Amino acid sequence: MSKSERKSVLPSEPSHGYEFGGPLGAFATSFGLPLVCYLATFLCNDISGCPIPSTFHPAKLNLATLKQETGWPGIFGLGSLKVTIAVLAYYFLSLLLQAVLPGEETEGVKLSSGGRLKYKFNAFNSAMVTLAVAAAGTVMQGPDFPLWTFIWNNYTQLITANLGIAFSLACFVYVRSFSIKPGNPDNRELAAGG
Protein backbone atom coordinates (compact mmCIF):
# COMPACT_ATOMS: atom_id res chain seq x y z
CA MET A 1 0.00 0.00 0.00
CA SER A 2 1.47 3.34 -1.01
CA LYS A 3 1.72 6.34 1.28
CA SER A 4 -1.10 8.17 -0.51
CA GLU A 5 -3.37 5.10 -0.25
CA ARG A 6 -2.68 4.83 3.51
CA LYS A 7 -3.61 8.47 3.98
CA SER A 8 -6.98 7.91 2.36
CA VAL A 9 -7.69 4.80 4.48
CA LEU A 10 -6.44 5.99 7.87
CA PRO A 11 -8.31 8.78 9.64
CA SER A 12 -6.30 11.97 9.66
CA GLU A 13 -5.13 13.17 13.04
CA PRO A 14 -6.06 16.73 13.94
CA SER A 15 -3.22 19.21 14.13
CA HIS A 16 -1.87 19.25 17.66
CA GLY A 17 -0.28 22.69 17.57
CA TYR A 18 2.67 23.67 19.72
CA GLU A 19 2.94 24.24 23.43
CA PHE A 20 5.54 26.38 25.23
CA GLY A 21 6.15 28.41 22.08
CA GLY A 22 7.11 25.48 19.89
CA PRO A 23 10.73 24.55 19.18
CA LEU A 24 11.98 28.07 19.97
CA GLY A 25 10.18 28.09 23.33
CA ALA A 26 11.46 24.61 24.16
CA PHE A 27 15.00 25.71 23.33
CA ALA A 28 14.65 28.89 25.41
CA THR A 29 13.27 26.94 28.37
CA SER A 30 15.85 24.16 28.13
CA PHE A 31 18.85 26.45 27.96
CA GLY A 32 17.53 29.74 29.36
CA LEU A 33 16.22 28.43 32.67
CA PRO A 34 19.52 26.83 33.74
CA LEU A 35 21.28 30.06 32.80
CA VAL A 36 18.82 32.07 34.93
CA CYS A 37 19.38 29.69 37.86
CA TYR A 38 23.15 30.16 37.70
CA LEU A 39 22.87 33.94 37.18
CA ALA A 40 20.57 34.26 40.19
CA THR A 41 23.01 32.21 42.27
CA PHE A 42 26.11 34.16 41.33
CA LEU A 43 24.75 37.69 40.85
CA CYS A 44 22.81 37.69 44.11
CA ASN A 45 24.78 35.99 46.88
CA ASP A 46 25.93 36.10 50.49
CA ILE A 47 29.43 37.28 49.57
CA SER A 48 28.74 40.74 48.15
CA GLY A 49 24.98 41.15 48.36
CA CYS A 50 22.22 41.46 45.86
CA PRO A 51 22.98 42.42 43.20
CA ILE A 52 26.75 42.29 43.17
CA PRO A 53 28.35 45.80 43.22
CA SER A 54 29.86 45.42 39.74
CA THR A 55 26.40 45.56 38.19
CA PHE A 56 26.15 49.21 39.31
CA HIS A 57 29.54 50.12 37.80
CA PRO A 58 29.91 48.10 34.59
CA ALA A 59 32.67 50.38 33.29
CA LYS A 60 34.95 49.23 36.14
CA LEU A 61 34.06 45.57 35.66
CA ASN A 62 36.91 43.12 35.18
CA LEU A 63 37.14 39.34 35.43
CA ALA A 64 39.05 39.25 38.72
CA THR A 65 36.52 41.51 40.47
CA LEU A 66 33.62 39.55 39.02
CA LYS A 67 35.07 36.25 40.25
CA GLN A 68 35.60 37.70 43.71
CA GLU A 69 32.13 39.24 44.00
CA THR A 70 30.26 36.21 42.67
CA GLY A 71 32.19 33.61 44.61
CA TRP A 72 32.98 31.80 41.36
CA PRO A 73 34.20 28.30 42.32
CA GLY A 74 35.80 27.58 38.96
CA ILE A 75 34.34 25.32 36.31
CA PHE A 76 35.10 22.15 38.28
CA GLY A 77 33.61 23.67 41.42
CA LEU A 78 30.17 23.77 39.80
CA GLY A 79 29.70 20.04 40.34
CA SER A 80 30.45 17.47 42.99
CA LEU A 81 30.22 13.70 43.00
CA LYS A 82 29.20 13.74 46.68
CA VAL A 83 26.32 16.14 45.94
CA THR A 84 25.22 14.19 42.86
CA ILE A 85 25.08 10.99 44.94
CA ALA A 86 23.05 12.84 47.60
CA VAL A 87 20.59 14.11 44.97
CA LEU A 88 20.25 10.60 43.50
CA ALA A 89 19.64 9.28 47.04
CA TYR A 90 16.86 11.85 47.46
CA TYR A 91 15.34 10.77 44.14
CA PHE A 92 15.53 7.15 45.30
CA LEU A 93 13.81 8.13 48.58
CA SER A 94 11.03 9.78 46.56
CA LEU A 95 10.70 6.65 44.44
CA LEU A 96 10.58 4.47 47.57
CA LEU A 97 7.93 6.68 49.18
CA GLN A 98 5.87 6.55 45.98
CA ALA A 99 5.99 2.76 46.08
CA VAL A 100 5.27 2.17 49.78
CA LEU A 101 2.91 4.97 50.82
CA PRO A 102 -0.80 4.58 50.18
CA GLY A 103 -2.36 6.60 47.41
CA GLU A 104 -5.41 6.75 45.22
CA GLU A 105 -5.01 4.70 42.06
CA THR A 106 -6.83 6.02 39.05
CA GLU A 107 -6.87 5.45 35.32
CA GLY A 108 -5.67 8.11 32.95
CA VAL A 109 -7.43 9.37 29.86
CA LYS A 110 -8.23 6.99 27.04
CA LEU A 111 -5.22 6.70 24.76
CA SER A 112 -5.38 6.64 20.99
CA SER A 113 -4.48 2.93 21.25
CA GLY A 114 -7.67 2.40 23.24
CA GLY A 115 -6.03 1.54 26.55
CA ARG A 116 -5.67 3.50 29.77
CA LEU A 117 -2.65 3.77 32.02
CA LYS A 118 -2.95 3.52 35.81
CA TYR A 119 -1.50 6.19 38.08
CA LYS A 120 -0.96 6.25 41.82
CA PHE A 121 -1.46 9.66 43.42
CA ASN A 122 0.45 9.98 46.67
CA ALA A 123 2.74 12.95 46.09
CA PHE A 124 1.13 14.84 48.97
CA ASN A 125 1.77 11.94 51.35
CA SER A 126 5.37 11.70 50.14
CA ALA A 127 5.89 15.43 50.58
CA MET A 128 4.45 15.28 54.11
CA VAL A 129 6.88 12.50 55.11
CA THR A 130 9.82 14.47 53.73
CA LEU A 131 8.66 17.69 55.39
CA ALA A 132 8.05 15.89 58.69
CA VAL A 133 11.64 14.65 58.73
CA ALA A 134 12.92 18.14 57.88
CA ALA A 135 10.68 19.73 60.54
CA ALA A 136 11.69 17.22 63.22
CA GLY A 137 15.37 17.78 62.47
CA THR A 138 14.89 21.55 62.53
CA VAL A 139 13.07 21.41 65.89
CA MET A 140 15.83 19.27 67.38
CA GLN A 141 18.89 20.99 65.87
CA GLY A 142 17.64 24.31 64.52
CA PRO A 143 19.45 25.78 61.53
CA ASP A 144 22.38 23.42 62.14
CA PHE A 145 20.30 20.45 61.00
CA PRO A 146 22.56 18.71 58.42
CA LEU A 147 19.94 18.99 55.67
CA TRP A 148 19.98 22.80 55.78
CA THR A 149 23.74 23.12 56.10
CA PHE A 150 24.20 20.69 53.21
CA ILE A 151 21.88 22.76 50.98
CA TRP A 152 23.54 26.02 52.07
CA ASN A 153 27.08 24.77 51.49
CA ASN A 154 26.35 23.00 48.19
CA TYR A 155 23.68 25.12 46.52
CA THR A 156 25.50 25.58 43.21
CA GLN A 157 26.46 21.90 43.07
CA LEU A 158 22.80 20.97 43.77
CA ILE A 159 21.73 23.03 40.75
CA THR A 160 24.36 21.32 38.59
CA ALA A 161 23.44 17.83 39.82
CA ASN A 162 19.72 18.35 39.19
CA LEU A 163 20.35 19.82 35.74
CA GLY A 164 22.62 16.90 34.85
CA ILE A 165 20.08 14.34 36.04
CA ALA A 166 17.23 16.10 34.22
CA PHE A 167 19.26 16.25 31.00
CA SER A 168 20.21 12.57 31.31
CA LEU A 169 16.60 11.52 31.90
CA ALA A 170 15.41 13.61 28.96
CA CYS A 171 17.99 11.98 26.67
CA PHE A 172 17.07 8.51 27.97
CA VAL A 173 13.34 9.08 27.39
CA TYR A 174 14.02 10.50 23.93
CA VAL A 175 16.14 7.51 22.89
CA ARG A 176 13.59 5.06 24.37
CA SER A 177 10.81 6.74 22.40
CA PHE A 178 12.21 5.17 19.23
CA SER A 179 11.44 1.70 20.61
CA ILE A 180 7.69 2.32 20.81
CA LYS A 181 5.77 0.17 18.37
CA PRO A 182 2.06 0.66 17.63
CA GLY A 183 -0.18 -1.87 19.35
CA ASN A 184 2.28 -2.75 22.12
CA PRO A 185 0.69 -4.47 25.15
CA ASP A 186 1.94 -1.82 27.60
CA ASN A 187 -0.02 0.95 25.82
CA ARG A 188 3.17 2.96 25.35
CA GLU A 189 2.71 5.73 22.82
CA LEU A 190 4.10 9.10 21.87
CA ALA A 191 2.27 12.35 22.36
CA ALA A 192 0.45 13.74 19.36
CA GLY A 193 2.94 15.15 16.87
CA GLY A 194 5.97 13.47 18.35
Side-chain angles (χ1 to χ4, degrees), residues 19-184:
E19 294 180 2
F20 302 106
L24 186 60
F27 179 84
T29 301
S30 298
F31 294 99
L33 185 59
L35 181 64
V36 168
C37 289
Y38 283 118
L39 286 175
T41 299
F42 289 117
L43 297 181
C44 189
N45 60 52
D46 63 327
I47 296 168
S48 56
C50 185
I52 61 171
S54 295
T55 57
F56 295 119
H57 308 288
K60 297 179 182 178
L61 183 64
N62 63 44
L63 192 57
T65 304
L66 190 62
K67 285 181 177 181
Q68 181 184 6
E69 290 179 354
T70 60
W72 175 249
I75 196 74
F76 295 110
L78 292 176
S80 163
L81 182 61
K82 179 180 99 172
V83 173
T84 303
I85 290 170
V87 170
L88 288 170
Y90 172 73
Y91 283 13
F92 179 75
L93 172 67
S94 296
L95 182 66
L96 184 68
L97 291 174
Q98 196 279 333
V100 299
L101 291 177
E104 179 184 346
E105 289 202 21
T106 185
E107 289 187 339
V109 298
K110 188 174 183 181
L111 302 171
S112 61
S113 63
R116 292 178 185 266
L117 300 177
K118 293 187 186 224
Y119 298 95
K120 181 178 177 183
F121 290 100
N122 68 354
F124 182 76
N125 296 339
S126 297
M128 289 299 102
V129 168
T130 305
L131 287 173
V133 170
T138 303
V139 167
M140 292 170 58
Q141 298 179 2
D144 294 326
F145 182 51
L147 172 66
W148 306 133
T149 57
F150 184 81
I151 292 171
W152 180 264
N153 294 331
N154 299 290
Y155 186 71
T156 305
Q157 292 81 10
L158 287 167
I159 292 172
T160 304
N162 280 289
L163 287 173
I165 293 167
F167 181 77
S168 299
L169 285 173
C171 290
F172 173 77
V173 169
Y174 175 73
V175 169
R176 287 281 292 154
S177 72
F178 292 106
S179 70
I180 297 175
K181 305 290 183 237
N184 65 75

